Amino acid sequence: MAVILAIILASVYGSASAQAHYNSKFSIGGHAGITMSKMSFTPSVKESMVMGNMAGVQLRYWEERNFGLLVEINYEQRGWKEDFEESPFSFERKLDYIQVPLLTNIFFGGRHVNGFFNLGPEFGYMVGTSYSANFNVHDIANIPDFPPNRETDQLWMEPTKKFDYGISAGAGIEFIIKKRHRIHLEGRYYFGIGNIFPDERKDTFSASRGTSIMVTLGYSYRIK
């Protein structure tokens, strides 16, 4: 991932050098926050959102014409929580990803405060997964009073599709301090396109895609 980030930065820097009259700028920084995520299953599953953590680094290139590019490397937790309604059962799965968003950055405002929008593709790889449950997910048929008429394969299946991709869109506010220091608050939505479970005709799920809402607080320093 670091090699990919370096190649992208070198490419952007070369383009900026060739167009110096645009007064290009670069910054580097980091951010951290929380995620609220769930899955989109077909056939559907009774579920609710689960909270996770995220943290990452960010490289930003921009010009004075309200346009820029963002490249990030993030660690992000996603997953889902089963909704058993009135039943005393619980199940929660966490999915750990390394994500690389490549985003267009459009901003507006003044010398000290800017609003901004981010939009673009996001690619990732699942580096870990875990679950917690108060019942044996491998022996559901013998559990007394387990809720009937609900999909249960997702409870015992392990995610096998590690590569993830989708679209991210976000908006936020940025505070500029002494020209080179920036503090930014952002809310971002991710819509996944890749599945975590097999999706052939013979398989249980034709879709098992992740979605998440992310809220982060970050700091960046302008290096050019």
mmCIF file of all heavy atoms in Angstrom, residues 142-161:
data_model
loop_
_atom_site.group_PDB
_atom_site.id
_atom_site.type_symbol
_atom_site.label_atom_id
_atom_site.label_comp_id
_atom_site.label_asym_id
_atom_site.label_seq_id
_atom_site.Cartn_x
_atom_site.Cartn_y
_atom_site.Cartn_z
ATOM 1 N N ASN A 142 -30.362 -27.188 17.051
ATOM 2 C CA ASN A 142 -30.651 -27.785 18.358
ATOM 3 C C ASN A 142 -30.763 -26.759 19.486
ATOM 4 O O ASN A 142 -30.726 -27.122 20.658
ATOM 5 C CB ASN A 142 -29.552 -28.799 18.700
ATOM 6 C CG ASN A 142 -29.572 -30.001 17.768
ATOM 7 O OD1 ASN A 142 -30.633 -30.528 17.439
ATOM 8 N ND2 ASN A 142 -28.398 -30.419 17.331
ATOM 9 N N ILE A 143 -30.907 -25.486 19.117
ATOM 10 C CA ILE A 143 -31.052 -24.448 20.134
ATOM 11 C C ILE A 143 -32.537 -24.232 20.426
ATOM 12 O O ILE A 143 -33.306 -23.871 19.531
ATOM 13 C CB ILE A 143 -30.414 -23.129 19.669
ATOM 14 C CG1 ILE A 143 -28.916 -23.315 19.445
ATOM 15 C CG2 ILE A 143 -30.661 -22.025 20.705
ATOM 16 C CD1 ILE A 143 -28.221 -22.092 18.899
ATOM 17 N N PRO A 144 -32.978 -24.446 21.648
ATOM 18 C CA PRO A 144 -34.407 -24.260 21.976
ATOM 19 C C PRO A 144 -34.836 -22.803 21.786
ATOM 20 O O PRO A 144 -34.091 -21.878 22.098
ATOM 21 C CB PRO A 144 -34.485 -24.657 23.461
ATOM 22 C CG PRO A 144 -33.259 -25.464 23.715
ATOM 23 C CD PRO A 144 -32.198 -24.926 22.809
ATOM 24 N N ASP A 145 -36.017 -22.627 21.235
ATOM 25 C CA ASP A 145 -36.638 -21.309 21.086
ATOM 26 C C ASP A 145 -35.876 -20.368 20.162
ATOM 27 O O ASP A 145 -36.071 -19.140 20.216
ATOM 28 C CB ASP A 145 -36.812 -20.621 22.450
ATOM 29 C CG ASP A 145 -37.655 -21.452 23.405
ATOM 30 O OD1 ASP A 145 -38.635 -22.056 22.948
ATOM 31 O OD2 ASP A 145 -37.310 -21.487 24.604
ATOM 32 N N PHE A 146 -34.991 -20.907 19.314
ATOM 33 C CA PHE A 146 -34.316 -20.027 18.360
ATOM 34 C C PHE A 146 -35.338 -19.511 17.353
ATOM 35 O O PHE A 146 -36.187 -20.268 16.877
ATOM 36 C CB PHE A 146 -33.190 -20.757 17.631
ATOM 37 C CG PHE A 146 -32.271 -19.828 16.894
ATOM 38 C CD1 PHE A 146 -31.225 -19.209 17.555
ATOM 39 C CD2 PHE A 146 -32.461 -19.559 15.540
ATOM 40 C CE1 PHE A 146 -30.374 -18.352 16.878
ATOM 41 C CE2 PHE A 146 -31.620 -18.705 14.858
ATOM 42 C CZ PHE A 146 -30.570 -18.094 15.525
ATOM 43 N N PRO A 147 -35.323 -18.220 17.027
ATOM 44 C CA PRO A 147 -36.345 -17.637 16.140
ATOM 45 C C PRO A 147 -36.439 -18.381 14.809
ATOM 46 O O PRO A 147 -35.430 -18.574 14.130
ATOM 47 C CB PRO A 147 -35.864 -16.200 15.928
ATOM 48 C CG PRO A 147 -35.035 -15.915 17.127
ATOM 49 C CD PRO A 147 -34.359 -17.210 17.471
ATOM 50 N N PRO A 148 -37.646 -18.797 14.416
ATOM 51 C CA PRO A 148 -37.812 -19.524 13.151
ATOM 52 C C PRO A 148 -37.908 -18.558 11.966
ATOM 53 O O PRO A 148 -37.976 -17.334 12.134
ATOM 54 C CB PRO A 148 -39.136 -20.249 13.350
ATOM 55 C CG PRO A 148 -39.920 -19.322 14.245
ATOM 56 C CD PRO A 148 -38.914 -18.683 15.169
ATOM 57 N N ASN A 149 -37.888 -19.119 10.797
ATOM 58 C CA ASN A 149 -38.137 -18.368 9.558
ATOM 59 C C ASN A 149 -37.179 -17.192 9.370
ATOM 60 O O ASN A 149 -37.585 -16.087 9.002
ATOM 61 C CB ASN A 149 -39.584 -17.868 9.508
ATOM 62 C CG ASN A 149 -40.593 -18.974 9.638
ATOM 63 O OD1 ASN A 149 -40.418 -20.053 9.066
ATOM 64 N ND2 ASN A 149 -41.637 -18.732 10.427
ATOM 65 N N ARG A 150 -35.893 -17.432 9.630
ATOM 66 C CA ARG A 150 -34.902 -16.394 9.372
ATOM 67 C C ARG A 150 -33.658 -17.036 8.770
ATOM 68 O O ARG A 150 -33.356 -18.207 9.019
ATOM 69 C CB ARG A 150 -34.540 -15.612 10.633
ATOM 70 C CG ARG A 150 -33.898 -16.417 11.732
ATOM 71 C CD ARG A 150 -33.564 -15.547 12.934
ATOM 72 N NE ARG A 150 -32.527 -14.571 12.662
ATOM 73 C CZ ARG A 150 -32.596 -13.297 13.035
ATOM 74 N NH1 ARG A 150 -33.657 -12.840 13.691
ATOM 75 N NH2 ARG A 150 -31.608 -12.457 12.776
ATOM 76 N N GLU A 151 -32.943 -16.257 7.960
ATOM 77 C CA GLU A 151 -31.718 -16.740 7.342
ATOM 78 C C GLU A 151 -30.642 -16.868 8.412
ATOM 79 O O GLU A 151 -30.449 -15.972 9.247
ATOM 80 C CB GLU A 151 -31.256 -15.761 6.262
ATOM 81 C CG GLU A 151 -30.142 -16.285 5.383
ATOM 82 C CD GLU A 151 -30.556 -17.513 4.594
ATOM 83 O OE1 GLU A 151 -31.486 -17.414 3.785
ATOM 84 O OE2 GLU A 151 -29.935 -18.576 4.822
ATOM 85 N N THR A 152 -29.906 -18.005 8.415
ATOM 86 C CA THR A 152 -28.888 -18.227 9.441
ATOM 87 C C THR A 152 -27.513 -18.592 8.882
ATOM 88 O O THR A 152 -26.543 -18.675 9.642
ATOM 89 C CB THR A 152 -29.328 -19.352 10.401
ATOM 90 O OG1 THR A 152 -29.532 -20.563 9.648
ATOM 91 C CG2 THR A 152 -30.614 -18.980 11.135
ATOM 92 N N ASP A 153 -27.394 -18.778 7.574
ATOM 93 C CA ASP A 153 -26.106 -19.191 7.012
ATOM 94 C C ASP A 153 -25.005 -18.166 7.303
ATOM 95 O O ASP A 153 -23.841 -18.524 7.495
ATOM 96 C CB ASP A 153 -26.223 -19.407 5.509
ATOM 97 C CG ASP A 153 -26.910 -20.719 5.168
ATOM 98 O OD1 ASP A 153 -27.364 -21.410 6.104
ATOM 99 O OD2 ASP A 153 -27.015 -21.046 3.972
ATOM 100 N N GLN A 154 -25.359 -16.882 7.325
ATOM 101 C CA GLN A 154 -24.360 -15.838 7.561
ATOM 102 C C GLN A 154 -23.781 -15.893 8.979
ATOM 103 O O GLN A 154 -22.752 -15.273 9.254
ATOM 104 C CB GLN A 154 -24.967 -14.451 7.297
ATOM 105 C CG GLN A 154 -25.881 -13.912 8.384
ATOM 106 C CD GLN A 154 -27.280 -14.537 8.355
ATOM 107 O OE1 GLN A 154 -27.592 -15.350 7.484
ATOM 108 N NE2 GLN A 154 -28.133 -14.142 9.270
ATOM 109 N N LEU A 155 -24.438 -16.629 9.872
ATOM 110 C CA LEU A 155 -23.959 -16.733 11.250
ATOM 111 C C LEU A 155 -22.740 -17.642 11.365
ATOM 112 O O LEU A 155 -21.847 -17.395 12.185
ATOM 113 C CB LEU A 155 -25.076 -17.234 12.160
ATOM 114 C CG LEU A 155 -26.346 -16.380 12.214
ATOM 115 C CD1 LEU A 155 -27.405 -17.047 13.081
ATOM 116 C CD2 LEU A 155 -26.045 -14.983 12.724
ATOM 117 N N TRP A 156 -22.688 -18.698 10.587
ATOM 118 C CA TRP A 156 -21.577 -19.639 10.679
ATOM 119 C C TRP A 156 -20.590 -19.556 9.513
ATOM 120 O O TRP A 156 -19.450 -20.034 9.619
ATOM 121 C CB TRP A 156 -22.088 -21.074 10.784
ATOM 122 C CG TRP A 156 -22.999 -21.512 9.657
ATOM 123 C CD1 TRP A 156 -24.353 -21.482 9.641
ATOM 124 C CD2 TRP A 156 -22.585 -22.039 8.393
ATOM 125 N NE1 TRP A 156 -24.834 -21.948 8.438
ATOM 126 C CE2 TRP A 156 -23.766 -22.304 7.658
ATOM 127 C CE3 TRP A 156 -21.357 -22.315 7.809
ATOM 128 C CZ2 TRP A 156 -23.745 -22.817 6.357
ATOM 129 C CZ3 TRP A 156 -21.323 -22.831 6.513
ATOM 130 C CH2 TRP A 156 -22.508 -23.086 5.819
ATOM 131 N N MET A 157 -20.989 -18.932 8.408
ATOM 132 C CA MET A 157 -20.085 -18.803 7.261
ATOM 133 C C MET A 157 -18.967 -17.803 7.563
ATOM 134 O O MET A 157 -19.202 -16.757 8.172
ATOM 135 C CB MET A 157 -20.856 -18.347 6.020
ATOM 136 C CG MET A 157 -21.826 -19.371 5.465
ATOM 137 S SD MET A 157 -22.886 -18.697 4.151
ATOM 138 C CE MET A 157 -21.667 -18.240 2.921
ATOM 139 N N GLU A 158 -17.762 -18.122 7.098
ATOM 140 C CA GLU A 158 -16.636 -17.197 7.220
ATOM 141 C C GLU A 158 -16.481 -16.424 5.900
ATOM 142 O O GLU A 158 -16.558 -17.021 4.827
ATOM 143 C CB GLU A 158 -15.340 -17.952 7.520
ATOM 144 C CG GLU A 158 -15.256 -18.491 8.936
ATOM 145 C CD GLU A 158 -15.176 -17.369 9.964
ATOM 146 O OE1 GLU A 158 -14.513 -16.342 9.700
ATOM 147 O OE2 GLU A 158 -15.779 -17.524 11.046
ATOM 148 N N PRO A 159 -16.281 -15.112 5.971
ATOM 149 C CA PRO A 159 -16.074 -14.334 4.738
ATOM 150 C C PRO A 159 -14.845 -14.838 3.987
ATOM 151 O O PRO A 159 -13.771 -14.997 4.568
ATOM 152 C CB PRO A 159 -15.850 -12.908 5.257
ATOM 153 C CG PRO A 159 -16.501 -12.886 6.599
ATOM 154 C CD PRO A 159 -16.300 -14.256 7.167
ATOM 155 N N THR A 160 -15.017 -15.115 2.693
ATOM 156 C CA THR A 160 -13.918 -15.644 1.889
ATOM 157 C C THR A 160 -13.435 -14.672 0.821
ATOM 158 O O THR A 160 -12.353 -14.854 0.276
ATOM 159 C CB THR A 160 -14.353 -16.948 1.197
ATOM 160 O OG1 THR A 160 -15.523 -16.708 0.401
ATOM 161 C CG2 THR A 160 -14.666 -18.030 2.227
ATOM 162 N N LYS A 161 -14.232 -13.661 0.519
ATOM 163 C CA LYS A 161 -13.827 -12.675 -0.490
ATOM 164 C C LYS A 161 -13.183 -11.485 0.220
ATOM 165 O O LYS A 161 -13.865 -10.670 0.825
ATOM 166 C CB LYS A 161 -15.022 -12.244 -1.330
ATOM 167 C CG LYS A 161 -15.594 -13.374 -2.179
ATOM 168 C CD LYS A 161 -16.495 -12.834 -3.261
ATOM 169 C CE LYS A 161 -16.842 -13.933 -4.260
ATOM 170 N NZ LYS A 161 -17.578 -13.396 -5.430
#
